[in-house]
Structure formats: structure tokens, C-alpha cells
Amino acid sequence: MSESKKASDLFIECLEAEGVEYIFGVPGEENLDFLESLSNSKQIKLVLTRHEQGAGFMAATYGRHTGKTGVCIATLGPGATNFVTAAAYAQLGGMPMMMITGQKPIKKSKQGRFQILDVVDMMGPITKFTHQLASGDNIPSRVREAIRLAEEEKPGAVHLEFPEDIAEEKTTSRPIAPSLARRPSAEPKAVRQAVSAIEQAKSPILVIGAGANRTMTGRMLHQFIEKTGIPFVTTQMGKGVIDERHPLFLGCAALSAGDFCHRAIEDADCIVNVGHDVIEKPPFFMHNDEEGPVGSDSPPTVIHVSNRTAEVDPVYFPQIEVIGDIANAIWQIKEDIVPQGKWDFARMLEYRKAELAHTEPLADDARFPIFPPHLVKQVRGAMPEDGIICLDNGVYKIWFARGYTAYLPNTVLLDNALATMGAGLPSAMMSAMLYPERKVMAICGDGGFMMNSQEMETAVRLGLNLTVLILRDDAYGMIRWKQANMGFKDFGLTYGNPDFVAYAESYGAKGHRVTSSEHLADVLAETRDTPGVHLIDCPVDYSENDQILNHDIKRLSAEL
């Protein structure tokens, strides 16, 4: 007969069997049995954070980088509610993450209803799976099921509630080993239909979305592009799937509409949409009464290539779907397709040339405070080939998505799904932990940074090497830009900031304050080459955001 053990010990054994390396979080009283069991693990390291949200963002980023489930822990009540934003971030962004929260004893009341919320019910709408563990014997099956669902396409968040009295139960159960599951391949008839549509087109185009950011998919897409010569556009979360130095790269759909790359898509009569997810801002819009591209009477054919069938939306209802492992689907299409002499991409490539011609003088503008296009150029110049930038959310995200050339997958981490503020620093910390030999930079607005700035202490305590670049405009700049675009008066969106250099140094980090464009280049190089946690206070000039992003780009691209 199997030896009995404490349920919390079994839980840790189950996580070890799943290959878990870290648990991030802020433990509470209801987690103490679990914490004691974790202290005896030789495999799993506890990473204590200063807020549960930071722990959740780190766990989600672990999942984003590795494809394996990141795990985080919090207590009941307020600890669990602090996980909600991180859960939504992982769920919408397709990042496998498991949250473990404590709970009062469920078989007897110890403190009435103190701190008790229905956390399982609360997590339901923002997770793939949520469950209260009511028996120690069921821990292995519930852990295995939760992690299976977290990692299965589309990846996302799962939640297990672990009550105090269940944690201290005795059980003879044992971990369940993970199964080997391969994603199904795309159906050959669907592949043939897609190939036929692409071959019949005059100007096909590839649109690469977040779901294409998977092992092998970028390689297959590169081979497809090399064979066919079909140009490609990316969404914000598709950046880096293919090296953007490629001559057939047409740009990133960072704006909602009217950019140069949108004009290229509008000229296509066949759109191969790879890894599309309606959670991202659509890179193009379909309409029932849509007219075709110039010289055509019919709307473009849209081919949906994904692990999942298309979620029909008022602006997205593809005519052809190729469903299965994306890398395999692209390989099948690539093997079957015959490049066509009638294909014409000249107009599409002209749009890209025009975008580069428009961007170049902006990127060379060395004014102070720093001009956003110039900042993007400086950061790209300072970061090595495999360097990782982790963007918080603000108007600078649009500048970086449009202008920062991504060379490799997962080297530009941004959130175009939930688009929450506060994730930039924790995601950079996780990146620095996973890849200590690579250069990592968090790029945050002053608003987003202050939402989780306490994790600077965690970064210093962990001995990480990373740079935090704060773009200071003393305002919620994205909303201020939208406010101006809507013709409203400048109201209600400005604030003061601490002395960021002194703030960084109070945590034991190194603080730097930019005083000119030339100084920015020096500081970026110094922080890149010097170990430790660095914070750069960089004033930015957002005065032309509205003119350039809302007017100039749309006017120039329309003129073409």
C-alpha cells in the first residue's frame, strides 16, 4: 500500500512532475502548509514579489517565453483579487499560467466569512479552468488537467483554490505523468483549396499574428516566403516571427487603420492570415458589402490558417480555413504551391518604401526632450541581435511596434490583447531570469512604471541584469493623445512624478537621467554593458503624436 503524505507535499510533487521551475507570489496565512512543502523542494524556487500582480505577470511571461505553464501563488480574498488583471493578461494574450490561491477551511468555519469571496466563480470568465480542491486525493488529476488546458491551444490562465484543511489532509495519491499529445495536422483538402486561391490571386499577402509565434512556425513561414516571394505584414504580437530586415517585410499594423501597411493589405486580392486572433486589434476589416482592391469587382479572399477555427466577428469571416498545427499547415502549403508569374507586388513594396522615407527624417530628429521616433532608433541601435525589449502600455508602444525592427521571435514583448499597464517591468524581470546571458530592457511610461514600481526591490534582490527605460511625459500620454484627436480640451490626465533617479537608488539600483540625445546614446550603452538593475529617466516630447500618427501618415499613405 502507498505511503500516506500531506496533501500539500503531494501538490508540490505534482508540480515537480510537470517540470515547474519557479513559483512567483505573495504567500498568506492560508498558504503556509503549501509554503512549508515548497521549502523542501529541490527543484522549484520561490520568487517572492512585492505585489500579486507582479507575480502573475512574471508567471505569464514565463509561459510566453517557454510554452510551459508559469505558476504563481496568493492568499484568499485580496490576494486572489490582485491576480485578476494578470489572469486576464495571460488569458487574452495566450500565455500558459496557473494561479494557486489559498482559502479558509471548507469543512468547518474558523473565522466566519472573514476575507471570503467566491474566488472560483470570480475566476471563471477570465480563465480556461478554475476549480476548488475539495479532496487531497484529487490533486494529481486536477493539477494535470489544469496544466494540460493551460498549455493547449490557445494557451491561457487556469486557477486552483487550495483550502487550508485540504492542504493538511493525508493522502496516498501519486502524481500523474504528463501525456504526449501532438497537435493534429491540417486536412489536405483544405490545404489544396488554400493553395488554389493563392495561385489564382494577382496580389496575395501574408498577415502574421500572435498565434504564429510558435516553435517551427517562423521557420516554415520564412521558407514559404522565400519560395513564393509573397510579402508579409505583422500584427503587434506577431513581431519577430520573421526577421523584419527581410526585403519583403511591409510593416507592422500598429495603428488601427490608414497606415502604409494597411494600404498594402487593401491592395491585396488574397489575404493569408496566419495565427489570427480577434483579441488583437484587427490588421484589416472585412465587410459584407466590401468592394475589391483596385481593378477588382470582388472582395479579397481571406484564408484563415490557425490551430483553431475562426471566431466569426462583424469584421472577420474568412472564406477558407486551414485548421491544424500552423507550422505543418504552412509547410503543406509551401510544398504544394507553384509561384505565379502574374503575381504583382510592386504597389505593396512602394508603400513600404514610402513608410521608410517618411520615418527616416523623424528618426534622425535629435531634439530634447527626446522625440519618440528618434528614441526607437537609439534603442534599436543599442540592443544586440538577441536583446529583448519588454514594453508596458502607452503611446510609445505604437512608435516601437511601427519603427523597432524585430530580428528574432520573443525579442519584442508587448501586449496588444488586454493591453494593461504595469506589466513592462515584471515581464522584463522574467526575461532576465530566463536568459541571464542576454540584454533585457523594460520600456515603460511613467504611468505604467509606477503601477508596479515596487518590483524594483524584487529585481535588485534577485541580482538581475536589466535596464528600465522610463519615458517621462508627466501624463497618461496615450489617453491624452486620443483626447487631442477627439478635439477635447487638455484636461485631467497630467500628474507629478518622484525623482526617478533617487527612487531607483533607494532600492539599490543605479539611476540615470538623460539630458540630451547624445547623452541618451551614452547612457543606453553604459547600462547595457554594466551589470545590475539600471533605471533611466528619459523625458520625451509627445507634442507631435496627434499630427504624425493621426494625420500625416494617413494623408501620405492615401496619396499613394
Side-chain angles (χ1 to χ4, degrees):
M1 186 175 177
S2 297
E3 178 187 352
S4 69
K5 61 182 65 180
K6 207 163 88 168
S8 58
D9 290 338
L10 174 61
F11 203 140
I12 296 299
E13 287 183 13
C14 291
L15 295 176
E16 289 174 335
E18 297 287 349
V20 173
E21 300 177 274
Y22 302 102
I23 295 179
F24 309 90
V26 183
E29 177 186 345
E30 289 71 27
N31 306 119
L32 290 177
D33 285 288
F34 184 92
L35 195 64
E36 174 68 13
S37 299
L38 176 57
S39 72
N40 297 319
S41 175
K42 293 180 172 58
Q43 174 181 318
I44 304 174
K45 178 182 178 182
L46 173 68
V47 178
L48 186 69
T49 60
R50 303 307 300 267
H51 193 286
E52 294 86 354
Q53 192 178 99
F57 288 146
M58 291 184 76
T61 305
Y62 177 92
R64 183 176 193 171
H65 272 301
T66 67
K68 300 188 298 182
T69 304
V71 180
C72 50
I73 187 172
T75 191
L76 79 171
T81 59
N82 281 345
F83 267 160
V84 166
T85 300
Y89 172 78
Q91 181 75 352
L92 272 62
M95 309 172 204
M97 178 185 81
M98 173 189 281
M99 299 167 287
I100 302 166
T101 60
Q103 188 53 276
K104 299 293 184 188
I106 56 174
K107 297 180 180 178
K108 60 182 179 181
S109 174
K110 190 167 75 170
Q111 294 177 315
R113 302 293 298 174
F114 178 64
Q115 287 193 309
I116 291 180
L117 294 170
D118 189 339
V119 176
V120 172
D121 198 43
M122 178 182 75
M123 291 292 185
I126 53 172
T127 59
K128 296 179 73 177
F129 175 81
T130 178
H131 181 78
Q132 181 187 74
L133 293 164
S135 167
D137 294 339
N138 292 339
I139 290 172
S141 62
R142 296 304 91 193
V143 170
R144 177 83 281 276
E145 176 69 354
I147 288 183
R148 181 187 73 81
L149 288 170
E151 295 176 4
E152 184 178 87
E153 293 289 347
K154 175 185 171 183
V158 296
H159 167 249
L160 291 174
E161 183 175 79
F162 197 25
E164 272 187 285
D165 50 349
I166 306 303
E168 62 187 22
E169 272 186 1
K170 293 293 184 179
T171 177
T172 58
S173 291
R174 291 292 175 263
I176 296 173
S179 59
L180 178 65
R182 303 295 298 175
R183 289 187 290 270
S185 298
E187 203 275 323
K189 289 182 180 178
V191 171
R192 180 91 276 281
Q193 192 177 12
V195 169
S196 178
I198 299 168
E199 289 179 344
Q200 290 172 25
K202 294 178 182 177
S203 299
I205 194 171
L206 273 173
V207 177
I208 299 171
N213 190 14
R214 302 287 186 272
T215 305
M216 287 302 295
T217 303
R219 183 182 182 88
M220 292 300 105
L221 282 166
H222 188 267
Q223 291 179 12
F224 174 84
I225 290 165
E226 290 299 305
K227 177 178 178 178
T228 63
I230 296 174
F232 66 98
V233 168
T234 72
T235 67
Q236 291 188 39
M237 294 179 74
K239 282 184 71 67
V241 172
I242 300 176
D243 189 335
E244 292 174 3
R245 292 170 291 190
H246 197 288
L248 294 174
F249 175 57
L250 299 178
C252 173
L255 295 172
S256 297
D259 205 342
F260 295 93
C261 64
H262 293 112
R263 308 298 184 188
I265 297 172
E266 289 167 9
D267 274 3
D269 59 349
C270 180
I271 301 169
V272 185
N273 203 13
V274 183
H276 175 73
D277 190 333
V278 293
I279 211 70
E280 267 207 276
K281 283 185 178 178
F284 62 91
F285 298 91
M286 298 180 70
H287 303 284
N288 271 323
D289 57 350
E290 184 173 13
E291 296 179 359
V294 176
S296 172
D297 296 326
S298 58
T301 299
V302 176
I303 302 170
H304 176 86
V305 183
S306 184
N307 292 289
R308 303 187 305 160
T309 55
E311 184 179 336
V312 176
D313 186 83
V315 296
Y316 190 65
F317 38 90
Q319 296 95 333
I320 299 172
E321 300 192 39
V322 182
I323 307 304
D325 179 77
I326 297 175
N328 174 267
I330 296 298
W331 175 81
Q332 287 191 59
I333 294 171
K334 184 259 298 185
E335 289 295 295
D336 189 16
I337 200 165
V338 176
Q340 303 293 300
K342 66 181 178 182
W343 286 343
D344 182 7
F345 308 117
R347 279 177 57 86
M348 294 178 179
L349 295 169
E350 285 298 318
Y351 287 120
R352 178 61 176 167
K353 289 179 185 176
E355 179 182 349
L356 294 174
H358 173 251
T359 300
E360 185 177 0
L362 300 177
D364 290 337
D365 187 333
R367 74 179 72 171
F368 186 82
I370 306 296
F371 196 38
H374 184 68
L375 174 81
V376 173
K377 181 179 179 180
Q378 288 256 36
V379 172
R380 179 64 278 183
M383 293 300 283
E385 178 97 2
D386 64 351
I388 301 170
I389 62 169
C390 301
L391 298 167
D392 209 280
N393 262 282
V395 70
Y396 51 89
K397 185 179 76 169
I398 294 174
W399 288 110
F400 273 89
R402 289 189 82 251
Y404 186 92
T405 306
Y407 301 157
L408 296 168
N410 286 331
T411 54
V412 179
L413 298 193
L414 53 77
D415 169 22
N416 194 37
L418 182 66
T420 180
M421 297 169 73
L425 174 57
S427 62
M429 290 164 57
M430 186 69 256
S431 300
M433 286 180 67
L434 277 172
Y435 305 110
E437 74 288 355
R438 294 166 70 177
K439 304 302 180 183
V440 178
M441 182 184 295
I443 301 173
C444 309
D446 42 13
F449 172 74
M450 289 301 291
M451 290 188 179
N452 273 311
S453 64
Q454 71 282 344
E455 300 306 341
M456 288 286 288
E457 188 279 325
T458 309
V460 171
R461 173 165 33 92
L462 293 173
L464 300 180
N465 296 319
L466 69 100
T467 297
V468 183
L469 176 60
I470 298 178
L471 311 182
R472 178 167 57 80
D473 67 328
D474 302 312
Y476 291 118
M478 172 73 90
I479 312 307
R480 204 177 183 195
W481 166 54
K482 298 282 187 181
Q483 188 179 56
N485 183 44
M486 294 174 72
F488 296 146
K489 59 180 175 289
D490 187 3
F491 174 76
L493 295 168
T494 59
Y495 45 69
N497 274 308
D499 180 332
F500 283 123
V501 172
Y503 188 69
E505 292 171 350
S506 72
Y507 284 117
K510 301 178 183 70
H512 311 262
R513 183 172 289 110
V514 173
T515 57
S516 69
S517 169
E518 296 78 12
H519 186 223
L520 173 62
D522 294 339
V523 170
L524 289 173
E526 179 187 348
T527 57
R528 177 195 62 209
D529 299 335
T530 309
V533 178
H534 296 268
L535 182 148
I536 303 173
D537 177 0
C538 180
V540 288
D541 179 359
Y542 282 155
S543 62
E544 294 188 43
N545 281 348
D546 183 55
Q547 181 61 41
I548 296 171
L549 297 176
N550 286 329
H551 302 287
D552 293 353
I553 288 171
K554 293 177 181 178
R555 174 180 54 80
L556 291 168
S557 66
E559 287 173 358
L560 292 174

